[in-house]
Amino acid sequence: MKPRYWTRATTELAARDPLLKKLIAQHRTLTVGSRGDAFQTLARAIVGQQISVKAAQSVWDRFAAAHSEVSPAVVVASSTDKLRGCGLSGQKCAYIHDLAAHFHDGRLRPAEWKRLPDDELVDLLVQVKGIGRWTAEMFLIFNLARPDVFPVGDLGLQNAIARHYNRGRKPAPERMHKIGAEWAPWRSVATWYMWRSLEASPVEY
């Protein structure tokens, strides 16, 4: 579902940046997609770490089938042996348990996230084992549809900026922030179109 701000964001970005104007015109029917549920989105992100998309889907399918529902209460009570039987490594079992515990005991309360600034929410999410800054930023973009996230550590964004704004050279973080400042307060949207400049098919997290 298209975020409410998307039309305004694309209009303003197109007026500021000729490349974005071209990319926006090329991809008018595509926008950010989301899987919805916060716990499941983050669990899927952990499951998919360092394995192929196909393998991640296979593990997730087994994980979902092995539990009556994929919820914090159910997963926190699941044994490590049961999780390993779904194809998760010992480390990922610990990560999934820690994530479920954070939701189950109230350290993560999605109902309260709307009032938190992006940086505070990222800081909260990275306290979970297995969730780093990149995963947290992808969650803010794709699950929460935050409009002004700028994932400087993302390789795809780095490559796009190198290609289009930095003569093919890998940009320093300072250079990326200078370019990104021109896109605020719609840096999530600009980032999404930077990804489209490298790969036309959208990704969901």
Side-chain angles (χ1 to χ4, degrees), residues 38-172:
F39 173 69
Q40 290 192 24
T41 299
L42 291 168
R44 289 188 77 119
I46 290 172
V47 167
Q49 289 174 357
Q50 299 180 323
I51 59 177
S52 70
V53 173
K54 183 177 180 180
Q57 186 62 52
S58 178
V59 173
W60 180 261
D61 289 343
R62 293 198 297 273
F63 175 75
H67 298 85
S68 57
E69 63 176 347
V70 182
S71 68
V74 170
V75 175
V76 79
S78 186
S79 69
T80 297
D81 286 344
K82 185 173 183 178
L83 294 178
R84 287 186 69 91
C86 300
L88 291 168
S89 66
Q91 186 177 58
K92 287 185 180 180
C93 290
Y95 291 168
I96 290 288
H97 271 143
D98 191 54
L99 175 68
H102 271 77
F103 275 87
H104 188 59
D105 65 20
R107 282 175 287 172
L108 290 178
R109 298 176 183 269
E112 299 177 357
W113 291 350
K114 286 185 178 181
R115 64 180 177 80
L116 293 180
D118 292 348
D119 285 344
E120 286 187 26
L121 184 50
V122 167
D123 289 343
L124 189 64
L125 291 171
V126 298
Q127 294 177 28
V128 178
K129 295 176 182 178
I131 295 181
R133 184 172 185 86
W134 180 86
T135 299
E137 289 172 337
M138 293 304 104
F139 178 79
L140 264 64
I141 293 173
F142 287 95
N143 186 275
L144 302 182
R146 294 287 179 101
D148 198 35
V149 180
F150 194 54
V152 173
D154 180 76
L155 183 59
L157 179 60
Q158 292 174 7
N159 289 340
I161 288 179
R163 176 184 296 183
H164 300 300
Y165 298 91
N166 212 45
R167 299 180 180 178
R169 298 190 299 270
K170 181 179 179 179

Side-chain angles (χ1 to χ4, degrees), residues 6-20:
W6 198 268
T7 298
R8 178 185 173 188
T10 54
T11 299
E12 293 184 9
L13 289 169
R16 298 178 201 169
D17 189 307
L19 174 63
L20 284 174

Side-chain angles (χ1 to χ4, degrees), residues 166-185:
N166 212 45
R167 299 180 180 178
R169 298 190 299 270
K170 181 179 179 179
E174 295 79 10
R175 172 66 173 156
M176 293 182 69
H177 282 297
K178 183 176 181 179
I179 293 168
E182 299 298 317
W183 299 335

